[in-house]
Amino acid sequence: MSDLVSETSTRKVPWGQILVAALVVGLLALVAFQMRRRGPLAAGPVGKGEVAPEFTLATFDGQTYNLTDLRGKVVVVNFWASWCKPCEQEAAELENAWRQYKDRGVVFVGVDYVDTETEARAYLQRFDITYPNGPDLGTRISQAYRIQGVPETYFVDKTGVLAHVKIGPTTEEELAGVIEPLLK
């Protein structure tokens, strides 16, 4: 009997394993909760029908654009970066669409994501981009929109609601297909 008592008293509780298991279960619960909720910490990009997250963008040329101030206009928000090859594919398409719609109540806003100012300015010059563009300082805007990468384009209707989200490069035809109905 003394052997049995000494054997059970020397067995140690694996607190490290219990702590790790509890931590894993807690993290899984947090991930599941975040994926179900809607709001700034939700998983995935903001979607169609949601109010577009508010932002203020200071452009490379010193202008300031506030999304709220653009109510009453259709707003096309494009996230891009100079190092992004698919962004290069859509650069001319976005600029052509901007030139077509800028006098019809549509505002294009380019949000430069995780880039250097020198490279971003060179990109804008290389592709002759004339619509407003500025850096996403501290990635505040991209976090609000929960972007997954670049390029991504968000179409905001005249009331400030997201009408369409395009993940990946867009074309002039796709842009017109979304913008035209929003102008009516």
Side-chain angles (χ1 to χ4, degrees), residues 133-148:
N133 275 272
D136 185 10
L137 300 175
T139 67
R140 285 188 294 271
I141 301 170
S142 56
Q143 286 181 44
Y145 281 76
R146 302 188 305 264
I147 71 167
Q148 298 172 352

Side-chain angles (χ1 to χ4, degrees), residues 3-169:
D3 288 339
L4 181 62
V5 170
S6 67
E7 186 177 312
T8 56
S9 64
T10 59
R11 199 180 296 167
K12 297 191 178 202
V13 177
W15 289 110
Q17 291 176 345
I18 292 171
L19 182 61
V20 168
L23 185 61
V24 168
V25 169
L27 286 173
L28 289 173
L30 180 62
V31 167
F33 173 75
Q34 290 292 17
M35 291 180 76
R36 291 185 48 120
R37 74 181 273 198
R38 296 170 69 93
L41 296 177
V46 289
K48 181 179 177 180
E50 293 183 52
V51 173
E54 175 56 38
F55 66 85
T56 299
L57 179 73
T59 65
F60 291 116
D61 64 0
Q63 301 292 319
T64 301
Y65 288 82
N66 185 295
L67 187 60
T68 301
D69 295 341
L70 300 174
R71 291 274 160 81
K73 297 181 182 202
V74 173
V75 181
V76 178
V77 181
N78 177 258
F79 290 90
W80 64 277
S82 66
W83 45 262
C84 165
K85 291 301 178 191
C87 297
E88 292 178 5
Q89 295 170 4
E90 72 175 7
E93 307 277 338
L94 286 160
E95 180 60 26
N96 289 340
W98 159 246
R99 291 179 186 192
Q100 178 183 349
Y101 289 105
K102 68 181 179 179
D103 296 326
R104 295 183 55 199
V106 179
V107 176
F108 280 54
V109 178
V111 181
D112 182 29
Y113 177 72
V114 188
D115 213 341
T116 67
E117 184 173 344
T118 302
E119 293 296 319
R121 286 180 180 270
Y123 176 94
L124 295 172
Q125 185 174 13
R126 182 171 71 226
F127 293 104
D128 192 27
I129 296 173
T130 61
Y131 58 89
N133 275 272
D136 185 10
L137 300 175
T139 67
R140 285 188 294 271
I141 301 170
S142 56
Q143 286 181 44
Y145 281 76
R146 302 188 305 264
I147 71 167
Q148 298 172 352
V150 289
E152 289 187 17
T153 306
Y154 294 78
F155 299 81
V156 182
D157 72 13
K158 295 176 183 181
T159 67
V161 173
L162 280 168
H164 185 77
V165 177
K166 170 67 177 174
I167 307 294

